[in-house]
Amino acid sequence: MSWREHGATGGWSSLSLKPVPTGWIPSVFQTMVPTGYTKLQEERGLAMADLGPKPDGNGYRPDPPHLEVRRHSDRVARTSVTLSDGGDMRYSETEPMLPEGTLSGEEGDDEEKEEEESQRPPTRNMPKESPLAMALQIVVPFLLAGFGTVSAGMVLDIVQHWDAFKYITEIFILVPALLGLKGNLEMTLASRLSTAVNVGKMDSPIEKWNLIIGNLALKQVQATVVGFLAAVAAVVLGWIPEGKFQMSHAVLLCSASVATAFIASMLQGFIMVGVIVGSKKTGINPDNVATPIAASFGDLITLAILAWISQGLYNCLDSHPYASSLVCAFFLSLTPVWMVISSKHPASRTLLYSGWEPVITAMVISSIGGLILDKTVSDPNLAGIVVYTPVINGIGGNLVAIQSSRISTHLHFHSAPGEVPEEAKGCYYPCRTFCGTGANHRSAQVLLLLVLPGHLIFLYTIHLMKSGHTTLTPIFMTVYLAAALLQVFLLLCIADWMVYSMWRSGKDPDSFSIPYLTALGDLLGTALLALSFQFLWYIGDQDSDVGD
């Protein structure tokens, strides 16, 4: 089935909703599914029933002649996309995401177009979502993601006392960069596949699995390369201020970073695909749930793997000095295999050539945040900052990723690359993000309103687990919540400006915006948190032995 048939019939509607059993839990779950999706499914079923000619006496339903011609032209067009096309950028990831009739290279005489228009149902519009349904869809994965970051903070608070972290402090520089991979890779994958679901590109099983396998292989290539570059950045940033360099420590950092990035990326990729497919089957908009669920266990998984591998390799430095080199060489040697697999699908092949700029730039930005973390952790006056760093960074990145994914899907539905809606033209101003009645304005308002209650829940969770080193005084909570609110406010404003700017320049925001935004979330969160703790120390609100 060609993409034009997908665009005509809709991506959400190929599924039917089963009757919901009685009980309050299914009722709440049913409330989370907007009625627009259900109506869209019913309309699509009727449209498919009336689309083609009626079956003959033997039950055979012949295809109309114009449909056969269109299928033949689509097959020819697909076979014309070669590896050189991906390298020359003649294939654009945004092209198959556009509404019906906007694909480049589709020409035909007026009579055939009129006949096709009369045979297919009207172009699909995005389903309406009420603020309540939107909030219900967002809040559950948001809380899951928040508790995941709380767990990561508690793990980091424990492992900071391990020998590997005490004697090779550059590992702290790796932490934001590797935790940021969920924004660079997992959330970007979630955003791309969410848009593909929304516009109907995952209705065909063949196309669906080609998209999934190609994107997963691409993600492994990017994870391995970015993990290696993050280790190089950590070595350089750790060497510049101190002037010390040890080859054994540098090799250990490279091995731990590459192995952690590879293993964590593979595990989270499988989880992400399951979330996307499950959202499609249950009728939930994956734009609302996929990106926060991508981060739910991402921080915890990544940090646990990093701590375990780092400590294990550190213990082997004396007895098996070549273990680190062998581990690094093994994972790097797998990169060509993933490159071959990812080059099989045009979309992932294109990103294999053009998708490096955002992930590498985001890694550098996160590494700067890691340098701030490394310096603050070594300051005894700021001992309590480490447990809160994954929380404030993760929550900010999760919320802005939702907004970025929603704006990107809206643009794929309603605009061609290079063209933006009227309200997004002209100079940017913050009121444009939050003031208005559009779906993206409402989502920005909902996301900003979630910051204070969400962080209060997570702060008290840390307090009840007796994990933090800082007493929850009114002054501390006020300063911390002000920093968190300022971080998310700035990120939502930057997302609104960045996504429209990328779309105007012809870049797909699903692949380019989230890495930048989550990296900026790491940098802003770490910097604002360090300033908050420094301010609290100056005014005398200090208590650095609670968790001890």
Side-chain angles (χ1 to χ4, degrees):
M1 182 178 291
S2 68
W3 175 85
R4 293 170 59 91
E5 295 169 39
H6 289 321
T9 55
W12 286 100
S13 312
S14 60
L15 307 162
S16 60
L17 292 176
K18 297 181 180 180
V20 180
T22 59
W24 67 274
I25 295 179
S27 301
V28 172
F29 184 77
Q30 190 178 34
T31 307
M32 294 169 61
V33 182
T35 56
Y37 294 128
T38 308
K39 293 180 180 178
L40 199 61
Q41 293 166 358
E42 297 173 354
E43 292 172 1
R44 183 182 178 191
L46 295 175
M48 289 296 291
D50 298 335
L51 183 60
K54 303 300 181 183
D56 56 17
N58 296 324
Y60 174 72
R61 184 192 300 270
D63 289 329
H66 75 274
L67 188 57
E68 288 294 332
V69 173
R70 193 170 74 214
R71 284 178 174 168
H72 176 71
S73 64
D74 286 342
R75 285 194 296 268
V76 173
R78 283 197 298 270
T79 56
S80 65
V81 179
T82 62
L83 183 60
S84 60
D85 295 335
D88 298 338
M89 297 298 103
R90 289 195 291 268
Y91 180 91
S92 173
E93 191 189 6
T94 59
E95 286 183 2
M97 302 296 189
L98 298 178
E100 186 68 37
T102 58
L103 283 175
S104 60
E106 299 232 357
E107 298 179 356
D109 47 70
D110 295 337
E111 294 182 0
E112 182 179 342
K113 289 183 178 180
E114 291 177 359
E115 185 178 0
E116 291 180 10
E117 291 291 339
S118 62
Q119 291 290 336
R120 66 169 179 257
T123 303
R124 172 184 62 224
N125 292 320
M126 291 187 66
K128 299 290 184 181
E129 285 183 285
S130 67
L132 176 60
M134 182 193 311
L136 287 174
Q137 289 189 20
I138 292 173
V139 70
V140 175
F142 168 73
L143 291 175
L144 287 176
F147 288 122
T149 58
V150 168
S151 302
M154 295 167 62
V155 170
L156 186 59
D157 188 39
I158 295 172
V159 302
Q160 67 172 325
H161 304 294
W162 289 10
D163 290 341
F165 286 79
K166 287 194 298 183
Y167 297 110
I168 309 179
T169 58
E170 291 84 0
I171 296 179
F172 285 105
I173 303 178
L174 284 177
V175 170
L178 292 180
L179 297 188
L181 282 179
K182 72 177 184 300
N184 296 354
L185 305 179
E186 274 72 36
M187 288 185 177
T188 303
L189 171 67
S191 183
R192 284 202 301 266
L193 294 184
S194 296
T195 299
V197 168
N198 278 326
V199 300
K201 278 193 64 64
M202 291 184 68
D203 286 349
S204 167
I206 296 178
E207 179 68 7
K208 176 177 71 175
W209 288 111
N210 283 339
L211 266 174
I212 290 173
I213 294 173
N215 277 280
L216 288 179
L218 171 68
K219 197 162 69 68
Q220 292 305 116
V221 175
Q222 292 177 328
T224 305
V225 174
V226 172
F228 178 78
L229 294 178
V232 173
V235 172
V236 173
L237 292 175
W239 167 71
I240 290 176
E242 298 179 1
K244 298 179 181 179
F245 178 81
Q246 294 188 36
M247 179 59 70
S248 60
H249 288 183
V251 175
L252 186 149
L253 283 173
C254 291
S255 301
S257 180
V258 170
T260 299
F262 184 94
I263 298 172
S265 180
M266 177 171 288
L267 292 176
Q268 294 175 71
F270 291 148
I271 295 173
M272 205 63 266
V273 169
V275 170
I276 296 293
V277 175
S279 298
K280 184 176 185 295
K281 290 184 177 181
T282 56
I284 294 178
N285 185 356
D287 279 324
N288 292 337
V289 301
T291 50
I293 289 181
S296 297
F297 306 103
D299 287 346
L300 180 59
I301 291 174
T302 303
L303 192 55
I305 294 174
L306 175 63
W308 177 69
I309 293 178
S310 299
Q311 185 62 36
L313 293 176
Y314 182 80
N315 293 334
C316 294
L317 279 181
D318 296 330
S319 58
H320 302 85
Y322 298 105
S324 298
S325 302
L326 292 176
V327 170
C328 185
F330 171 75
F331 287 105
L332 289 176
S333 65
L334 296 177
T335 303
V337 178
W338 300 115
M339 293 178 65
V340 171
I341 297 175
S342 64
S343 65
K344 298 299 183 180
H345 191 274
S348 57
R349 182 193 312 144
T350 302
L351 291 175
L352 191 61
Y353 290 91
S354 65
W356 294 101
E357 173 195 342
V359 295
I360 293 177
T361 305
M363 179 272 298
V364 174
I365 296 173
S366 296
S367 297
I368 297 174
L371 182 61
I372 298 174
L373 178 63
D374 183 27
K375 297 306 177 185
T376 53
V377 167
S378 60
D379 187 348
N381 297 333
L382 308 177
I385 192 174
V386 66
V387 72
Y388 300 105
T389 302
V391 179
I392 192 171
N393 292 351
I395 296 306
N398 297 344
L399 294 177
V400 75
I402 295 174
Q403 181 71 355
S404 174
S405 183
R406 290 179 62 88
I407 298 175
S408 179
T409 298
H410 186 269
L411 288 173
H412 277 104
F413 262 92
H414 301 293
S415 303
E419 300 177 0
V420 295
E422 289 295 329
E423 64 269 14
K425 294 181 179 178
C427 296
Y428 173 79
Y429 51 95
C431 291
R432 192 181 80 185
T433 302
F434 301 97
C435 300
T437 58
N440 294 328
H441 297 110
R442 289 196 301 270
S443 62
Q445 296 163 8
V446 169
L447 294 172
L448 191 63
L449 290 174
L450 287 174
V451 174
L452 295 182
H455 274 287
L456 283 174
I457 293 173
F458 306 139
L459 283 177
Y460 275 104
T461 302
I462 294 174
H463 175 69
L464 292 174
M465 299 296 293
K466 301 185 183 300
S467 180
H469 296 264
T470 306
T471 304
L472 295 185
T473 63
I475 297 177
F476 169 78
M477 295 177 64
T478 302
V479 174
Y480 176 87
L481 293 176
L485 193 63
L486 178 60
Q487 177 210 27
V488 175
F489 176 83
L490 292 175
L491 288 175
L492 291 176
C493 292
I494 294 172
D496 192 40
W497 167 79
M498 182 180 290
V499 171
Y500 285 114
S501 298
M502 287 182 172
W503 187 264
R504 189 183 295 110
S505 63
K507 294 181 179 179
D508 186 3
D510 281 327
S511 300
F512 286 85
S513 63
I514 291 182
Y516 288 117
L517 293 170
T518 53
L520 287 173
D522 292 342
L523 180 58
L524 284 174
T526 306
L528 290 173
L529 197 58
L531 290 175
S532 300
F533 270 76
Q534 196 70 48
F535 173 75
L536 291 169
W537 177 261
Y538 283 143
I539 65 175
D541 189 84
Q542 51 198 344
D543 186 2
S544 61
D545 61 351
V546 174
D548 297 340

